[in-house]
Amino acid sequence: MKLRQIQCVCAVVRNGLNVSTAAETLFTSQPGVSKQIRQIEDELGAQIFERSGRQLTCLTAFGRGILPYLERIQNETDNARRIARELTAPGTGTLSIATTHTQARYALPDVISAFRARYPAVSLNLHQGTPDQIAELAAAGKVDIAIATEGLEHFDELVLFPCYLWNRAVVVPKDHPLTQIQRPTLEDLASYPLITYVFSFADRSKMTEAFARRRLEPNLVLTATDAEVIKTYVRSGLGVGIIARMAYEPMRDTDLACIDIRHLFQDEVTSIGLRRGLVLSPPMYDFIHRFAPHLDKLSIDVALLSQDTGKGKRLFKAHLPYLIRVTESRMHQGATNPTPQKSAQINAESRG
């Protein structure tokens, strides 16, 4: 087998069996990819893909069995390239991050600025999308780091690292009737047209569950991936906005009122997702630690190399008291980093 053949098989699978798209990602031609796949099938003595004419339709039983090994070879090749680059040219290369618009706009600017000052020769690629899109990019190896709240947990290829807690707020014009209610109820919100994030009314959303438990059917008139878009339509009078609390900026959103609704919904956990078995470069460790100071190199490595899928839950449980304190501190005083002693303590607990 040749590495190029393995790359072609993995690229086709990662691109939904679309050979043309796979060829584009590999900077080659569609016939070239098809040829490489036929060659590896001939060498292995069985078909990896089912075909209908010239179209690939699905993986064969043999393909499903062999794919994890081919993906492991591909992933280890990527790891070897990353380590080789770090050894020959430290502090260079590319770091690809997939995240939501809200994280990119409100949570990452200071982190990225500090990272760029430390690693000016590292090129940062920031991809924005829905949580499901973000998870797919990370699971397929198209990005190095995924940062999102929902969606990541549905991909077994990813190891999740809890970063911080957040909750929602209502934004309305300052003369809106909701501003006269001290503690709005779900019934109050359900009586108005609502504008919120695309993912908030997915089947698994805590927000959906909260309304469903009260047997309420919210009047959802618009969804968007960007909090700024939501605020724009709130200003136009389309409805009541429900956004991440961090997305309300008092100095900029002077025409909007922000109403606390933490009592209505459970806290959400923003997590970093990394592909299982991934070998990180020093700049990657640095970026993660800047975004989530309680995550150190050892705790990251242990979780990535472990085959124990329950480790992520223990990591979250060990970090939860700290996450609550950091969240409250950010809300009242701005971001606060943990002491080295506290980081070591909670990471030791998560490894145990």
Side-chain angles (χ1 to χ4, degrees):
M1 286 185 293
K2 295 180 180 179
L3 181 57
R4 189 60 170 176
Q5 297 167 350
I6 296 172
Q7 289 176 329
C8 289
V9 171
C10 293
V12 167
V13 173
R14 290 172 178 175
N15 287 280
L17 306 187
N18 189 315
V19 179
S20 297
T21 304
E24 292 177 4
T25 64
L26 295 172
F27 304 101
T28 187
S29 65
Q30 180 177 342
V33 171
S34 298
K35 179 181 178 181
Q36 296 289 342
I37 291 174
R38 287 194 299 270
Q39 287 177 345
I40 193 173
E41 288 178 331
D42 290 343
E43 182 171 347
L44 294 174
Q47 286 193 345
I48 297 174
F49 299 100
E50 295 281 3
R51 292 167 171 82
S52 177
R54 294 184 177 181
Q55 299 295 317
L56 304 182
T57 57
C58 64
L59 285 164
T60 63
F62 173 82
R64 292 192 296 272
I66 200 68
L67 182 63
Y69 298 93
L70 300 181
E71 289 180 329
R72 190 178 306 167
I73 294 171
Q74 175 70 66
N75 291 338
E76 289 302 324
T77 301
D78 294 341
N79 287 336
R81 288 197 180 102
R82 182 178 295 108
I83 296 304
R85 183 172 56 245
E86 187 60 34
L87 291 172
T88 57
T92 64
T94 300
L95 177 58
S96 296
I97 302 160
T99 190
T100 62
H101 291 270
T102 297
Q103 299 293 336
R105 171 66 180 82
Y106 303 102
L108 284 175
D110 289 344
V111 174
I112 290 176
S113 295
F115 178 86
R116 288 288 300 153
R118 174 67 178 82
Y119 293 99
V122 175
S123 177
L124 276 173
N125 294 330
L126 194 61
H127 305 261
Q128 298 176 56
T130 65
D132 287 343
Q133 291 170 336
I134 293 163
E136 289 172 0
L137 287 171
K142 295 181 179 179
V143 298
D144 302 309
I145 298 172
I147 302 174
T149 298
E150 297 180 345
L152 302 182
E153 71 276 11
H154 297 282
F155 289 77
D156 294 336
E157 304 94 328
L158 299 180
V159 180
L160 303 189
F161 299 87
C163 299
Y164 68 90
L165 305 177
W166 63 273
N167 213 307
R168 300 168 176 83
V170 161
V171 288
V172 290
K174 289 195 169 181
D175 60 352
H176 194 279
L178 279 176
T179 60
Q180 305 303 312
I181 302 176
Q182 186 172 6
R183 284 174 62 89
T185 64
L186 288 172
E187 287 78 7
D188 291 327
L189 298 186
S191 66
Y192 293 97
L194 300 179
I195 309 170
T196 190
Y197 298 112
V198 169
F199 64 85
S200 292
F201 281 79
D203 292 341
R204 60 182 175 274
S205 170
K206 293 183 177 67
M207 190 171 177
T208 308
E209 294 169 358
F211 280 104
R213 283 195 297 269
R214 300 299 294 268
R215 300 182 183 276
L216 296 171
E217 187 68 33
N219 178 19
L220 183 65
V221 295
L222 179 69
T223 61
T225 58
D226 189 341
E228 292 303 316
V229 172
I230 294 173
K231 288 186 282 187
T232 295
Y233 283 97
V234 168
R235 291 183 173 102
S236 73
L238 187 63
V240 169
I242 301 178
I243 61 174
R245 177 63 181 80
M246 71 179 102
Y248 176 76
E249 299 176 285
M251 300 299 292
R252 295 186 59 193
D253 300 323
T254 55
D255 57 331
L256 297 177
C258 179
I259 303 173
D260 189 359
I261 54 171
R262 283 177 294 168
H263 58 286
L264 298 180
F265 304 110
Q266 295 181 25
D267 286 333
E268 300 281 3
V269 182
T270 291
S271 298
I272 283 176
L274 300 175
R275 196 171 68 253
R276 195 176 301 277
L278 180 68
V279 175
L280 278 65
S281 65
M284 293 171 69
Y285 287 115
D286 183 270
F287 184 92
I288 293 170
H289 184 68
R290 290 180 188 277
F291 186 73
H294 57 284
L295 296 177
D296 63 15
K297 182 179 184 299
L298 182 57
S299 64
I300 294 170
D301 287 346
V302 168
L304 286 177
L305 294 174
S306 174
Q307 298 301 314
D308 179 6
T309 56
K311 185 171 286 292
K313 292 182 179 179
R314 292 199 297 275
L315 183 72
F316 171 71
K317 184 177 180 180
H319 287 169
L320 183 58
Y322 165 76
L323 297 180
I324 293 173
R325 290 196 300 274
V326 166
T327 301
E328 292 174 346
S329 177
R330 283 181 173 179
M331 289 183 61
H332 295 102
Q333 300 174 358
T336 301
N337 291 343
T339 63
Q341 293 84 357
K342 180 55 68 177
S343 292
Q345 176 185 337
I346 59 179
N347 283 321
E349 292 170 356
S350 70
R351 288 191 292 272

